[in-house]
Amino acid sequence: MKRRLLGVIDATTYHDDLEELLTHRSLAALPFAGRYRIIDFVLSNMVNSGIRSVAIFPKMTYRSLMDHLGSGKNWDLNRKRDGLFFFPTPVVDSDINKIGSFENFAANLDFFYRSSQEYS
């Protein structure tokens, strides 16, 4: 029995130890072995598990992440229905260490209500 799942990636984390590496990109877009990014591991695991719809919540400096992911074609997430969705977090406060997962879910509830997936 295949269940239809909606994957959610919270790409809002920030680590002070990596501050010099994260000045122009988010942690999810941090290069690994030259060709890959950290988010590639998460997306590959989701797609290989049968998840066909993924929502990403980036917080700041997410242009590099969007450039890398593009339409999601490398993960077979470029679809007319479902696929890869970006929900950039509006800049509400200046606290970069705050993780805004609940605020992201609350701001995008309409997406979760409209999704055709059984579980999110």
Side-chain angles (χ1 to χ4, degrees), residues 6-115:
L6 170 65
V8 177
I9 299 175
D10 181 17
T12 61
T13 56
Y14 181 85
H15 293 282
D16 290 330
D17 298 339
L18 301 173
E19 182 178 1
E20 294 169 358
L21 297 173
L22 302 177
T23 55
H24 299 292
R25 62 176 44 104
S26 66
L27 180 63
L30 191 65
F32 183 83
R35 178 178 175 180
Y36 304 102
R37 308 279 190 230
I38 300 283
I39 198 165
D40 292 347
F41 298 103
V42 178
L43 278 174
S44 293
N45 285 331
M46 285 185 171
V47 169
N48 290 332
S49 297
I51 297 173
R52 300 291 176 233
S53 185
V54 178
I56 300 175
F57 293 134
K59 186 167 185 171
M60 50 189 254
T61 59
Y62 53 86
R63 186 168 140 200
S64 175
L65 180 64
M66 290 181 73
D67 289 343
H68 175 69
L69 296 177
S71 65
K73 184 178 180 182
N74 292 336
W75 297 272
D76 193 29
L77 291 173
N78 59 335
R79 304 164 179 265
K80 287 185 179 181
R81 187 166 171 87
D82 299 330
L84 186 65
F85 300 94
F86 278 93
F87 296 104
T89 306
V91 179
V92 177
D93 57 4
S94 61
D95 186 10
I96 60 174
N97 294 321
K98 182 179 177 184
I99 298 175
S101 298
F102 295 117
E103 289 86 5
N104 287 334
F105 279 101
N108 298 295
L109 274 178
D110 60 330
F111 170 75
F112 294 106
Y113 288 136
R114 286 183 297 138
S115 70

